[in-house]
Amino acid sequence: MELLRSTYRKYPEILLLFLGSLVFLTHLDALFVNIMEARNFITAREMLIDDNWIFTTMNELPRYQKPPLPTWLTAISAQIFGIKNVFSYRLPAAMASLFIILMFFKIQLLAGIQKKLAFGSSIILMNSFYVFFAGREGQWDIFTHSFIIGCCYFFFKLFAFPENRLRNALIAALLLGASLLSKGPVSLYALFLPFLNSFFLVFKFGPFPGKWKYLLIFSITGLIAGSWWSILIHYYDAEEIARVAALESGRWFNYNIRPFWYYWSFFTQSGIWTIPAFMGLWYWYLKSRVSNLKAYKFFLFWTLISLLLLSIIPEKKSRYLLPVLIPLASTTGFYVEYAIKNFRNNFTKWERIPVYLNFIILTLISLAAPILLYRFMGELNAAYFGLSIALISLGAGFVYGMAKRKIGLLFSLQAAMMILIISLGSPLLRSIDPSHNTPNVADLRSFASEENLKLYDYNNLMPELIWHYGSSIPNLEKTPGVPPENKFILLVETEAFPSWKSEFEGFEAKKWGVLDLNPTYETGKNKRLIREIYILTKQAP
C-alpha cells in the first residue's frame, strides 16, 4: 500500500498506466472474436500473408471502408506476437486505450484541475463501459479517438504556453492525421470540434504572435498526414473507392436511423458510474460546489457539444457515444470529489439519496452476481469461486462503507469493481466460446484438409468463420457461378436460401453437419452464425 502511495505521489502516470493495464490487458484473449473484430483481424492477417500494406483486403477482396493505420498496427503486433494469437491482434487497441487515459489525465492538469481529482476522473474513464469495452476488443473507434485526445493535449499546450509552439503544432497535426488515417473524420467531428468550441468558449485565449502561422502549419500538416492514403487509393482504384465512399456516406443518413433524442440517456453508457455521471451534469447544482468552476465548465460544454453534434447525425448506435464519455468522466469526477468532501457534514438528506442509491445498486449487483453467474454458466470452477468471493467481499465492503458513512472508501471500492471483474471474471468467458460447439471450425478445417476438399460459402459472408478458419473462403455471392471442382464443401444458410440446390444441378449434396458460431449459451439463436455443411459431388452424365 505504501508503494502505491509513493508511486502516486511521485509518478501518478505510471500508477495510472499500471491500473489501466489491469483493465485493458488482463485476459485480453478470453472473449470470442465478434463480427467487427473478425473483419479487422482478417484484413490485418491478409496484410501479412499477402504482403499488401496499401490496398487492404478482406477475404482477398478490396476493403477500403476503413483507413489502414489501425490495421497496420494490428498486423505489426501479430507479426511480433503471433499471427494466430488473438491477444496480439487486440493488443494495439488496448495500448490505444492506455494512451487515451494518459492524455486525458494530462489535459485535466493543463485545465487547472488538481492531480488527485484528475487521477480519480481518469480511473472513472477507464472503468466506463464503452471505454473498456472498446479497449478490450479490436475496434477501430478507440484508435481514432485516442489520437484525437493526444491532438487535443498538444493543441492545448500550443495555445497555453509560449514554449515549443512549432513542436506542439506539428505533434498535434500528426496525431490529427493519425486519427484521420484510423477512421476518417469521425473523431474530428465528434471529439475535436466539440473540444475546440469548449476550449475557446471557456478559456478565451487571446491572440499570440504568429498564431495563424502555427494554426496553418497544424491544419495543412494534419490534412496531408491524414489524407494521403485516400488520395493514393482513389488514384489507383477510383471505381472501388467511389463505391465505398457512396455506401459509407449514405449510411450516415439512411442506415440505423434514430430520433434526435436517442442519445439523451448517454450517461448510462458509463456503466457502473451511471448515477454519479448523471449528477455531474447538473450545472446549476454543482457550479458553486466544484473545486474549479472554469475547468468544470470546459468539460461540461465539451460533453454537451459532442452529444449535440452526434445527435444531429441520423445514423445512431450506442457505441458511437464513446467520445462523449471522455469529457463526461471529468464532470463525474467533480461530483465524486464534492460528495467525498461534504457527504458527512454538509449534505442534505435529499443530496444523500443519489449517493446511497448508487451504492445500494452496486451492493445488490455484487451479492447477486454469483447466483446469476452460476445460472448463466452452469458450472463451478476455480474462476467462478474466485470471482464470487471477490464480489461478495466487495458487497460487504459497500455495506460497511454505507453504515460508517465512509464515502471515500465506497468510491474507491467502486473504482476497483471493474478491475476485479475483469481480472477474475474474464476466464469464465472461455467456457462460452463457440469452439465448444460440435462440430466447430477446427473440425471443419481438419476434415477439409484430410479429404483435400476446397471450402465455399454459398452466400452472406460470415467474417467470424473466415477468421477462425485461418484463410480466405470463396463466397459465391461475390464470385457467382458453380465451383470448378468435381467435389467440394459448401456452407449454406438454408433458412435464408431454401432453394439453393437448384443452382447445383448435376451435383449430389450430402449433409455433413451444422456449424454454429453462436456462444454456447445462445446456441442456435442467431441464424446468421449458423451454416449447414454439405459435401457436393458431381455426378457422371
Side-chain angles (χ1 to χ4, degrees):
M1 187 62 70
E2 184 56 39
L3 178 61
L4 288 176
R5 292 195 185 98
S6 176
T7 304
Y8 167 74
R9 286 192 295 267
K10 296 179 181 178
Y11 311 106
E13 293 93 344
I14 292 177
L15 181 58
L16 201 58
L17 292 175
F18 169 73
L19 295 175
S21 297
L22 295 179
V23 172
F24 296 112
L25 297 178
T26 307
H27 304 298
L28 194 57
D29 60 344
L31 183 63
F32 53 87
V33 174
N34 62 38
I35 184 171
M36 287 187 296
E37 287 186 297
R39 291 173 179 147
N40 297 333
F41 295 170
I42 292 166
T43 304
R45 183 173 65 193
E46 291 184 2
M47 270 186 178
L48 293 174
I49 294 173
D50 301 330
D51 196 25
N52 185 357
W53 296 75
I54 300 297
F55 300 95
T56 49
T57 63
M58 185 182 74
N59 205 33
E60 299 184 358
L61 296 172
R63 186 183 186 236
Y64 303 146
Q65 284 85 347
K66 303 292 185 293
L69 181 55
T71 314
W72 291 339
L73 298 174
T74 303
I76 292 169
S77 177
Q79 181 72 62
I80 296 171
F81 299 105
I83 196 171
K84 296 182 179 180
N85 186 355
V86 174
F87 177 90
S88 67
Y89 288 86
R90 285 176 173 159
L91 179 60
M95 299 304 293
S97 303
L98 292 176
F99 185 70
I100 283 184
I101 303 303
L102 183 61
M103 290 295 101
F104 177 66
F105 174 72
K106 288 180 170 292
I107 289 174
Q108 291 179 93
L109 297 181
L110 286 180
I113 294 176
Q114 294 182 352
K115 182 178 72 173
K116 185 175 182 180
L117 174 55
F119 189 89
S121 298
S122 301
I123 297 294
I124 291 172
L125 178 61
M126 75 172 65
N127 284 321
S128 295
F129 174 69
Y130 267 116
V131 176
F132 77 77
F133 180 78
R136 290 183 61 84
E137 289 196 343
Q139 296 185 20
W140 281 190
D141 300 64
I142 201 72
F143 289 94
T144 190
H145 298 315
S146 70
F147 292 129
I148 280 293
I149 284 295
C151 174
C152 292
Y153 170 70
F154 286 99
F155 192 91
F156 202 135
K157 291 186 71 175
L158 171 64
F159 272 82
F161 303 105
E163 303 85 13
N164 302 314
R165 279 185 170 143
L166 178 59
R167 184 197 69 179
N168 290 330
L170 287 173
I171 295 175
L174 292 175
L175 287 167
L176 172 63
S179 178
L180 294 173
L181 267 178
S182 296
K183 208 174 180 184
V186 170
S187 195
L188 179 65
Y189 175 81
L191 195 56
F192 188 64
L193 187 57
F195 162 80
L196 285 182
N197 280 274
S198 180
F199 181 74
F200 289 112
L201 184 65
V202 172
F203 291 105
K204 297 181 173 64
F205 282 110
F208 58 80
K211 71 173 182 178
W212 293 112
K213 174 179 68 176
Y214 295 110
L215 289 175
L216 194 62
I217 290 172
F218 165 75
S219 301
I220 294 175
T221 306
L223 289 175
I224 292 173
S227 61
W228 68 267
W229 178 82
S230 297
I231 294 171
L232 186 66
I233 294 296
H234 189 274
Y235 180 79
Y236 284 102
D237 199 350
E239 184 177 345
E240 180 65 19
I241 198 69
R243 186 191 68 81
V244 170
L247 178 65
E248 291 297 308
S249 59
R251 284 186 171 184
W252 280 40
F253 302 99
N254 301 303
Y255 179 74
N256 223 35
I257 305 303
R258 297 289 186 271
F260 178 81
W261 55 86
Y262 180 76
Y263 286 142
W264 287 6
S265 61
F266 67 99
F267 52 88
T268 61
Q269 304 305 325
S270 57
I272 62 172
W273 296 98
T274 292
I275 293 177
F278 177 72
M279 295 303 299
L281 295 169
W282 290 92
Y283 172 76
W284 298 110
Y285 168 64
L286 286 176
K287 67 175 184 176
S288 61
R289 295 171 169 86
V290 295
S291 56
N292 186 327
L293 180 58
K294 180 175 284 190
Y296 171 72
K297 288 168 64 177
F298 167 60
F299 285 101
L300 179 64
F301 292 163
W302 188 357
T303 302
L304 297 179
I305 294 171
S306 179
L307 176 67
L308 175 63
L309 292 181
L310 286 171
S311 298
I312 292 171
I313 303 298
E315 182 194 8
K316 295 179 177 66
K317 294 180 182 179
S318 296
R319 63 184 177 88
Y320 292 170
L321 283 171
L322 175 58
V324 183
L325 299 180
I326 297 172
L328 178 67
S330 188
T331 61
T332 306
F334 274 108
Y335 173 75
V336 171
E337 179 193 46
Y338 168 67
I340 290 174
K341 289 181 177 179
N342 297 277
F343 183 88
R344 185 179 289 271
N345 298 317
N346 298 320
F347 262 41
T348 66
K349 63 179 181 179
W350 297 108
E351 287 181 292
R352 291 175 180 172
I353 290 175
V355 177
Y356 278 127
L357 179 61
N358 176 58
F359 292 115
I360 288 172
I361 291 174
L362 294 179
T363 301
L364 293 175
I365 292 173
S366 300
L367 298 178
I371 299 172
L372 297 176
L373 277 173
Y374 176 70
R375 291 178 63 86
F376 178 71
M377 307 298 295
E379 62 177 290
L380 301 175
N381 53 36
Y384 168 80
F385 284 114
L387 179 60
S388 298
I389 292 170
L391 287 173
I392 292 171
S393 301
L394 194 66
F398 284 134
V399 172
Y400 171 80
M402 285 188 286
K404 299 295 184 179
R405 293 188 180 182
K406 293 182 176 291
I407 302 302
L409 171 64
L410 286 169
F411 279 113
S412 296
L413 291 175
Q414 184 169 356
M417 189 172 186
M418 289 312 304
I419 296 177
L420 286 174
I421 291 174
I422 291 170
S423 299
L424 300 176
S426 292
L428 292 173
L429 296 173
R430 301 183 194 278
S431 64
I432 61 173
D433 193 282
S435 62
H436 295 299
N437 295 332
T438 303
N440 54 41
V441 177
D443 297 329
L444 176 62
R445 185 173 56 245
S446 297
F447 175 75
S449 177
E450 290 170 4
E451 299 294 325
N452 195 27
L453 296 176
K454 190 166 183 179
L455 180 68
Y456 291 88
D457 197 359
Y458 177 72
N459 212 315
N460 288 357
L461 185 73
M462 190 181 0
E464 299 95 325
L465 169 62
I466 299 169
W467 162 250
H468 288 294
Y469 196 70
S471 62
S472 62
I473 300 175
N475 184 269
L476 300 185
E477 178 186 22
K478 303 293 183 181
T479 55
V482 177
E485 293 85 3
N486 291 329
K487 188 175 183 181
F488 57 89
I489 301 173
L490 185 66
L491 305 178
V492 185
E493 187 182 355
T494 55
E495 191 165 303
F497 306 99
S499 60
W500 67 272
K501 290 183 180 179
S502 62
E503 296 185 27
F504 297 92
E505 292 183 4
F507 282 83
E508 178 188 15
K510 181 179 179 182
K511 189 173 180 179
W512 185 77
V514 177
L515 182 68
D516 189 343
L517 293 187
N518 284 282
T520 56
Y521 69 93
E522 285 190 331
T523 300
K525 286 190 176 180
N526 186 349
K527 303 302 181 184
R528 184 189 69 82
L529 295 174
I530 298 175
R531 294 288 187 275
E532 293 188 8
I533 307 168
Y534 288 90
I535 303 170
L536 268 67
T537 306
K538 194 169 187 177
Q539 301 298 297

